Amino acid sequence: MRYWHWLEEALYGDFGRSHVFHQDVSSVIWSRLPASLLLVAVSAVLIALFGVAAGIVGALRRGTRTDTALILLVTVGAAAPAFVAALILRSVFGVRLGWFPTIGNGTGVLDHLHHVVLPAIALSVSFTAPRSAGASPDGP
């Protein structure tokens, strides 16, 4: 019964109150929406760039070691969940090498982009792979 009441209120935009942040859930969502949209936009650009590039290289180098390596990378990318890629990228490029921040949103446009690079790459890995490894009409 409680769930039904919550669902009715959610249809009108009232998602309740956050026990963690002690404010309305809708205000928490709205405050984080710009960062989420930036992440999606950067990921979409990376998916398009990497997917098209991998597809072109695979088509031009068909049957070579480059093609085989690309197929291997694409297969691993398709199999790896985004959170696994995120953990690997964060530990290597954020913690070990210190090239990218591991927390926060940053300030200013360039700093926002710098903070979103690793999550965007992690998110785009599993989406790039299936688009670049599409089946060829004349077989494998």
Side-chain angles (χ1 to χ4, degrees):
M1 203 62 192
R2 282 186 182 187
Y3 177 71
W4 182 256
H5 289 299
W6 175 85
L7 190 59
E8 285 178 332
E9 292 172 359
L11 289 174
Y12 292 102
D14 181 8
F15 296 104
R17 191 150 177 84
S18 169
H19 296 289
V20 175
F21 298 106
H22 305 291
Q23 53 183 315
D24 291 337
V25 172
S26 57
S27 65
V28 174
I29 291 172
W30 281 107
S31 69
R32 284 151 178 81
L33 189 61
S36 297
L37 292 176
L38 178 64
L39 175 61
V40 169
V42 173
S43 296
V45 169
L46 292 176
I47 290 167
L49 290 176
F50 292 151
V52 169
I56 290 172
V57 170
L60 294 175
R61 303 283 183 168
R62 190 176 184 108
T64 65
R65 287 185 185 183
T66 303
D67 184 38
T68 303
L70 188 61
I71 290 172
L72 178 66
L73 285 172
V74 164
T75 303
V76 170
F83 73 89
V84 172
L87 288 172
I88 293 169
L89 289 168
R90 183 178 182 187
S91 66
V92 172
F93 295 105
V95 176
R96 177 164 277 171
L97 297 174
W99 293 353
F100 294 97
T102 57
I103 59 170
N105 287 334
T107 56
V109 175
L110 291 178
D111 199 28
H112 283 311
L113 287 174
H114 189 234
H115 277 76
V116 82
V117 168
L118 287 182
I121 291 172
L123 189 58
S124 65
V125 164
S126 59
F127 285 101
T128 299
R131 277 116 189 110
S132 61
S136 170
D138 57 338

